[in-house]
Amino acid sequence: NKFNFDLKEGFYNLKLGVYDSGGEITFNENGIICKNYGNNIGLRFSPVLIAQFLLSTNDKINALLHLNFVLDELVVLTDKQNYLVKYDFDWVYDEQKAPWYSSMAQGQLCSAFCRWYRLLDSEKYLESACKFIDAVEETNEENNFYLKLANSARWYKEYPNCKHSVLDGSLTMLAGIYDLSKISKQTKYINILHYGLNGFLNNWKI
């Protein structure tokens, strides 16, 4: 297959959720999945693409390589030591200026780390999943992860500066919070899930 790794199990289509058109998906010299966006952007690491890989592969060695790459190279610590994952290039199609952060990336990485917590039984990955969501809660005022709506409801934004609401970005963030709430069973994440679901169900046409 053209992605150069085993897709016999897991997601059969790596591009599911990789929403930007064009570009070539490849692996760099260190074995990390990346994308050539062409034009003035070139070869870059996409947090969403890495999350999709972690959700699709059952190869433990490759998964550990990517999990550690996220934690060692992509994570930006907040004041409270939570985890933001940034895009380090401009995305002019949706008015994003580097560095920028996306609720879609935070949510899908949360799902990916929840998955590998279950497969590897390592608390490190559950703690990381929590930190991806906690960072959204901590830094929303500066990074515009979600719109605040009535009754504590919220609409999660894939592109913080875009005037349009992107459905898949909101859904994947909700999926990440759902995964975390089911695994951690913490009331905090259950409440956050309810805020997001209320915002989605009442405002999905905005």
Side-chain angles (χ1 to χ4, degrees):
N1 65 72
K2 66 180 181 179
F3 299 120
N4 300 316
F5 59 89
D6 189 356
L7 287 177
K8 289 184 290 186
E9 294 183 322
F11 289 179
Y12 63 87
N13 183 356
L14 180 68
K15 294 190 72 175
L16 180 66
V18 181
Y19 43 86
D20 44 288
S21 60
E24 177 187 359
I25 295 173
T26 186
F27 292 80
N28 72 0
E29 65 276 9
N30 296 317
I32 303 298
I33 196 166
C34 50
K35 184 170 184 176
N36 189 343
Y37 289 91
N39 299 323
N40 297 323
I41 300 176
L43 196 66
R44 300 284 182 158
F45 299 113
S46 164
V48 165
L49 180 59
I50 292 173
Q52 287 289 324
F53 177 77
L54 287 167
L55 289 167
S56 67
T57 186
N58 291 298
D59 184 326
K60 178 180 176 180
I61 294 175
N62 269 326
L64 285 170
L65 179 68
H66 283 78
L67 290 164
N68 291 330
F69 177 78
V70 170
L71 296 179
D72 295 340
E73 302 295 335
L74 295 188
V75 158
V76 176
L77 292 176
T78 69
D79 291 342
K80 296 181 179 179
Q81 304 300 295
N82 292 315
Y83 293 170
L84 291 169
V85 181
K86 68 179 178 181
Y87 286 84
D88 64 354
F89 55 90
D90 294 346
W91 191 245
V92 297
Y93 307 103
D94 292 286
E95 304 174 11
Q96 307 307 134
K97 294 289 186 181
W100 58 279
Y101 306 91
S102 169
S103 64
M104 182 176 189
Q106 300 287 133
Q108 285 216 303
L109 283 168
C110 177
S111 288
F113 274 70
C114 283
R115 178 179 187 240
W116 283 97
Y117 160 70
R118 295 179 67 189
L119 292 174
L120 299 175
D121 194 27
S122 172
E123 288 292 328
K124 172 183 178 180
Y125 300 123
L126 178 57
E127 292 170 2
S128 297
C130 293
K131 288 177 179 290
F132 289 123
I133 302 305
D134 290 346
V136 173
E137 295 297 299
E138 178 189 349
T139 69
N140 183 58
E141 293 298 325
E142 58 211 79
N143 293 319
N144 202 21
F145 282 117
Y146 58 84
L147 296 174
K148 294 181 179 179
L149 305 171
N151 300 317
S152 299
R154 55 185 63 169
W155 179 276
Y156 288 102
K157 303 184 70 176
E158 181 174 332
Y159 302 107
N161 295 330
C162 183
K163 62 183 178 181
H164 303 292
S165 296
V166 184
L167 189 60
D168 59 348
S170 186
L171 285 172
T172 49
M173 179 60 174
L174 289 173
I177 302 168
Y178 172 81
D179 290 340
L180 184 57
S181 69
K182 294 292 285 186
I183 292 174
S184 73
K185 299 185 177 6
Q186 292 188 41
T187 301
K188 172 172 67 172
Y189 300 117
I190 295 171
N191 290 338
I192 293 172
L193 177 63
H194 288 165
Y195 301 150
L197 287 174
N198 287 338
F200 177 80
L201 292 173
N202 293 320
N203 298 277
W204 69 274
K205 292 183 179 180
I206 62 174

